[in-house]
Amino acid sequence: MRSTRPSFTARRARGARRRTSPVLAAVALASVLALTATACESGDDQAAGGSASASASSDGKITIPDDIKDRLKEHGIDVDKWKDGAWKDWNKDDWLREAQDFVNPIIEGLWDPDRMRGAEDPDQGKGVDDSDISGDQGVTDPEPAPVDAKAVPATYHDSVPVAGKVFFDSPEGTMVCSATVVQDPANPGKSNMVWTAGHCVHAGKKGGWYRNIAFVPSYNNDAMSTAELEKASREDVAPYGVWWGDWAQTSDQWIEQGGETGGDGASYDFAVIHVTPEKGGSGKSLEETVGSALPVNFNAPAATKIQSMTATGYPAAAPYDGETMYQCQDKPGRLSINASDPTMYRIGCTMTGGSSGGGWVATGSDGKPALVSNTSIGPVTAGWLAGPRLGDVAKGVYDSVSEKFAGQ
């Protein structure tokens, strides 16, 4: 898997797979796995029913917080028109780009089972030539041998409760990525923070924030087949609810450098999404709802000192269908895209587009698992994946989101 930006697949017309990479910003859309982004796919280009909002009043009318209304108005966006489908207008002059411009009004009912199922990786992908990875830039180890991805046994929540899918809309259609529930230092035991790839929320140097970003933990928890999913209820597909991004950030580097191909911005291809339940929830946080959250290690050992890493995701490009959770385990090597950028981790893995943003976990010096990276890029032909090594920039993104919601 190896493209650099979100890939998509419309129901009436399937397109080419694309991938993306990292940046600093808020929440938006995802992309496919490639040398800058793993997989994403588009689905039905028609929004499911529902109204945009952050909450619903007792009389059934949708209300949108004043701060969101004000930010939309600053860019000439009418809230009523937005919730009625104006969000589908991707005019480059109206596509919010800067980190502080992020807005993501809830459209209740938008992400129904049918629309989620339609967000798979396209049939064809846009790859990266070998010339895009120069062996004399930084340190790059020999290409790892492919490691066959293994399906996670149902129920997913029993073994990987922190994993799930991120859904979003892009100019190309409905997209999907993978993501991980992570701890929030400002709200111990009550985190509403999700870790994913930068290209799953922001289009990079040639675009802005994606829209209608939502996280579904333990998507298809019972590992139902495609035929079974066609008859499944929303509760069957999303047993722990649909959580909308009320804020997101990625690296400034991803926003300024992130591209569709060549691995541009891949070393900084990470993002944090803060979420809230679509229908108000039970009063419990995301962490309390799923029962777990991973710590993030921003000082993980060099690749040569890590014996094993496990990558988790929902690959959507052939031969996968995006409905099943998979994992790959391998000893990491090093991959350098640009000599001036941090060297990335690379493992052998046959997961394809759709697995972008999925968490990479390693055991720390304390003997406990921690998130150390996320899937960013891979070759079109699959066989390996690469993810950024998290450092000060990643910690800055993480801390900023945590501090923004401290005490809430």
Side-chain angles (χ1 to χ4, degrees):
M1 206 183 208
R2 170 182 247 199
S3 303
T4 55
R5 203 139 192 216
S7 76
F8 63 97
T9 295
R11 272 191 197 160
R12 298 182 180 78
R14 297 180 73 81
R17 181 186 318 154
R18 304 193 307 177
R19 336 268 191 194
T20 42
S21 257
V23 183
L24 164 63
V27 178
L29 258 322
S31 72
V32 275
L33 176 64
L35 197 65
T36 289
T38 45
C40 300
E41 174 183 312
S42 82
D44 196 329
D45 57 0
Q46 296 182 352
S51 302
S53 79
S55 62
S57 61
S58 59
D59 61 3
K61 294 182 178 180
I62 298 301
T63 58
I64 296 180
D66 291 339
D67 63 329
I68 292 180
K69 287 183 179 179
D70 292 342
R71 274 186 284 160
L72 287 170
K73 287 180 179 178
E74 289 176 3
H75 296 277
I77 298 173
D78 182 281
V79 172
D80 291 328
K81 291 181 179 179
W82 180 275
K83 67 184 182 182
D84 288 335
W87 60 265
K88 297 178 185 177
D89 180 6
W90 296 92
N91 183 301
K92 65 179 182 179
D93 295 329
D94 297 328
W95 194 355
L96 305 184
R97 173 175 175 79
E98 302 305 319
Q100 67 271 19
D101 293 338
F102 172 75
V103 291
N104 193 51
I106 293 173
I107 301 179
E108 190 170 322
L110 176 68
W111 294 111
D112 62 12
D114 194 47
R115 200 164 191 265
M116 289 185 205
R117 194 172 59 252
E120 30 181 78
D121 192 70
D123 292 332
Q124 299 179 350
K126 180 182 291 185
V128 177
D129 296 333
D130 291 340
S131 59
D132 288 324
I133 305 175
S134 177
D136 60 3
Q137 291 181 319
V139 179
T140 295
D141 293 321
E143 182 175 323
V147 172
D148 289 336
K150 298 183 181 299
V152 176
T155 58
Y156 299 151
H157 183 266
D158 292 341
S159 54
V160 198
V162 295
K165 279 182 136 181
V166 169
F167 295 92
F168 53 91
D169 282 300
S170 75
E172 291 84 4
T174 302
M175 303 286 181
V176 64
C177 278
S178 300
T180 307
V181 182
V182 294
Q183 294 179 359
D184 179 357
N187 293 286
K190 298 183 178 181
S191 175
N192 284 308
M193 290 169 57
V194 175
W195 192 281
T196 189
H199 72 261
C200 296
V201 300
H202 195 285
K205 59 186 175 185
K206 293 185 178 180
W209 293 109
Y210 293 121
R211 299 168 185 172
N212 302 326
I213 300 171
F215 174 66
V216 177
S218 296
Y219 172 82
N220 189 21
N221 189 48
D222 295 326
M224 292 181 285
S225 66
T226 300
E228 291 173 322
L229 284 169
E230 290 178 354
K231 302 176 182 178
S233 68
R234 197 184 199 212
E235 290 68 29
D236 292 331
V237 175
Y240 296 92
V242 175
W243 298 71
W244 282 67
D246 54 8
W247 192 251
Q249 287 190 209
T250 181
S251 67
D252 287 329
Q253 289 88 339
W254 172 248
I255 292 175
E256 296 168 359
Q257 304 170 16
E260 294 185 358
T261 59
D264 293 345
S267 295
Y268 297 94
D269 188 13
F270 41 75
V272 176
I273 305 170
H274 189 276
V275 299
T276 187
E278 178 176 287
K279 296 184 178 180
S282 62
K284 292 183 178 180
S285 66
L286 175 61
E287 180 177 358
E288 292 170 305
T289 300
V290 302
S292 184
L294 279 177
V296 183
N297 187 348
F298 296 104
N299 191 29
T304 55
K305 296 183 179 181
I306 298 178
Q307 292 303 308
S308 176
M309 278 185 179
T310 299
T312 301
Y314 285 84
Y320 308 98
D321 62 6
E323 308 302 329
T324 304
M325 185 187 296
Y326 283 83
Q327 290 184 322
C328 286
Q329 186 174 27
D330 192 20
K331 179 177 175 58
R334 296 165 292 184
L335 173 65
S336 177
I337 304 297
N338 295 301
S340 59
D341 292 334
T343 299
M344 303 176 71
Y345 293 124
R346 180 164 64 167
I347 61 172
C349 184
T350 59
M351 283 198 288
T352 58
S355 59
S356 280
W360 291 27
V361 178
T363 301
S365 57
D366 59 359
K368 298 180 180 180
L371 186 140
V372 296
S373 186
N374 58 264
T375 299
S376 173
I377 59 175
V380 169
T381 55
W384 58 262
L385 300 176
R389 184 180 178 188
L390 309 181
D392 290 344
V393 174
K395 189 174 188 304
V397 171
Y398 175 79
D399 288 344
S400 179
V401 176
S402 176
E403 292 167 4
K404 180 177 178 65
F405 292 88
Q408 297 185 31

